Amino acid sequence: MTATRGAFIIGIVVLGAMAGLLGGFNLHWSREAVFPLYGILIDVLAIPALIYVFLYVRRLKVAVTDEFAETKKRLAAQTGFVVGFGLFAVSGIVPMVFPEAYNTFIGTLDGAHEGFLMGRVLGMAPFVIGLVIGQVVAWTKYR
Amino acid sequence: MNNRLKVLRAERNWSQADLADRLKVSRQTVNAIETGKYDPSLPLAFQLARLFGLRIEDIFTPE
């Protein structure tokens, strides 16, 4: 291990903060009547810095990852996908098993757009839960 | 897979972290191998054998 896990975590936090701030400011500037010149200057300076930090964090990640970490990650990913797909399949059965509850729920939605947004969230949720379960399984197996 | 890693390490007065540094892996990896939760790859097993001056089968034995 040529780098510590702490350095990698700090790197991730710095990268997230930089990307978040840059994204937030750009969103703010893009809503102004004219995109400010200082915004363009900051972008020109900050984007290469962001790319550099990203590449540096990627190097740190490689340095702190050994074969055991890879094994844990693979187990978490495989478990997460299987559990996610299972939950996704089960969620498809809900309207058949509980038609009244399903119809009531659909009735509470305010139009097709909200239905679309709800569909996106509910379609993704099983895989997000699967991801968390995968991490927990890997953690309990190898702790 | 059983292993004598803990004994070999103790004979040299090395902590798990010392051994991990010598192998360039994490301390968690050494701990997982010692407790039998994880079997190392062949390259890592060879590295261990070389480090202790033993053969792989002197360190690892099948259950």
Side-chain angles (χ1 to χ4, degrees), chain A residues 68 140-143, chain B residues 1 31-39:
Chain A
F68 179 54
T140 49
K141 184 171 178 195
Y142 290 119
R143 88 196 138 96
Chain B
M1 191 82 77
N31 183 55
I33 295 171
E34 271 189 15
T35 52
K37 286 178 182 165
Y38 174 67
D39 293 331

Side-chain angles (χ1 to χ4, degrees), chain A residues 12-30:
Chain A
I12 286 283
V13 170
V14 169
L15 183 66
M18 278 179 79
L21 281 172
L22 201 59
F25 278 123
N26 269 285
L27 193 71
H28 176 68
W29 294 327
S30 68

Side-chain angles (χ1 to χ4, degrees), chain A residues 16-134:
Chain A
M18 278 179 79
L21 281 172
L22 201 59
F25 278 123
N26 269 285
L27 193 71
H28 176 68
W29 294 327
S30 68
R31 283 177 177 166
E32 289 182 18
V34 179
F35 199 93
L37 183 64
Y38 64 86
I40 295 169
L41 287 173
I42 289 172
D43 278 352
V44 166
L45 293 172
I47 289 173
L50 187 70
I51 292 168
Y52 176 79
V53 173
F54 172 76
L55 294 174
Y56 181 69
V57 168
R58 214 171 61 160
R59 278 220 312 269
L60 282 178
K61 183 177 180 272
V62 170
V64 297
T65 304
D66 61 6
E67 59 177 61
F68 179 54
E70 282 290 331
T71 304
K72 276 196 290 188
K73 201 165 65 182
R74 204 173 300 133
L75 175 71
Q78 286 170 348
T79 310
F81 182 74
V82 170
V83 171
F85 196 76
L87 288 172
F88 181 73
V90 168
S91 71
I93 300 170
V94 169
M96 296 176 227
V97 180
F98 305 105
E100 274 181 38
Y102 173 71
N103 287 327
T104 308
F105 169 68
I106 293 295
T108 61
L109 298 179
D110 189 22
H113 180 63
E114 203 175 305
F116 170 73
L117 291 178
M118 192 57 76
R120 288 188 70 183
V121 172
L122 292 182
M124 193 170 56
F127 290 97
V128 174
I129 295 168
L131 207 73
V132 174
I133 292 173

Side-chain angles (χ1 to χ4, degrees), chain B residues 7 10 12 14 16-17 19 24 32 41 58 61:
Chain B
V7 176
R12 286 155 183 81
W14 291 346
Q16 286 186 343
L19 180 56
K24 294 194 173 14
S41 66
D58 295 330
T61 47

